[in-house]
Amino acid sequence: MREFTEGVVAPVIEEFWSRDEFPFAIIPKMAEIGIGGVGYQGYGAAGGSWLLNGFVAMELARVDCSVATFWGVHTGLSAGSIYLCGDEAQKQRWLPAMMRFEKIGSFGLTEPLVGSATSGGMLPPAGARAMSGSSTARRSGSAMPPSPTST
């Protein structure tokens, strides 16, 4: 893990930060070191303990918080939601490729009256575009229709 953060991430991250870009070329290298699904069992996940998951997150964040956030959203919020809440067909369809970083998960949240201002109901600034109505699930940046149970 340290070899990855020091040898792959650290040498390039400042250049990407200065261009406001993410170093997508490191994603296949994340797959090579086997950190997809640390803490999860089955479906091609790396396995291990949740303590190990925390150490991976800490080591990534030690070198760059954007890479740590990418990994956390991909393996935690996205793959983790499928792992914990998906049916078996969804798990079989998505998790093996996600654990290999062949499919990249994302997470989006919108709430009625505040759009994506998830920090305690803060209203958007005057003149800003805000979504209104029902919460909407998002997938890879495109909106999915709300479920029949959303309010």
Side-chain angles (χ1 to χ4, degrees):
M1 189 69 223
R2 178 73 44 104
E3 207 172 283
F4 171 75
T5 56
E6 294 291 335
V8 176
V9 179
V12 301
I13 201 61
E14 283 191 41
E15 178 186 335
F16 282 92
W17 270 91
S18 68
R19 294 193 321 246
D20 295 326
E21 295 178 6
F22 184 80
F24 290 102
I26 71 168
I27 295 172
K29 295 172 183 168
M30 291 177 131
E32 287 175 20
I33 65 168
I35 58 172
V38 173
Y40 299 110
Q41 305 303 315
Y43 307 102
S49 69
W50 290 109
L51 181 61
L52 178 59
N53 180 290
F55 284 132
V56 170
M58 227 170 37
E59 177 61 18
L60 290 169
R62 184 185 67 79
V63 173
D64 182 65
C65 61
S66 67
V67 173
T69 300
F70 163 81
W71 179 80
V73 168
H74 172 71
T75 63
L77 287 172
S78 188
S81 295
I82 297 168
Y83 185 86
L84 294 172
C85 303
D87 62 31
E88 190 59 31
Q90 291 169 323
K91 291 175 183 181
Q92 292 293 336
R93 178 178 180 193
W94 294 107
L95 292 178
M98 290 177 79
M99 299 305 160
R100 294 186 304 266
F101 293 89
E102 293 167 2
K103 299 278 185 194
I104 302 301
S106 61
F107 178 81
L109 174 69
T110 60
E111 290 295 331
L113 305 177
V114 294
S116 59
T118 59
S119 58
M122 295 172 49
L123 294 176
R129 294 176 64 177
M131 295 182 73
S132 62
S134 299
S135 294
T136 304
R138 297 189 170 274
R139 171 181 58 118
S140 299
S142 62
M144 294 170 45
S147 70
T149 59
S150 66
T151 57

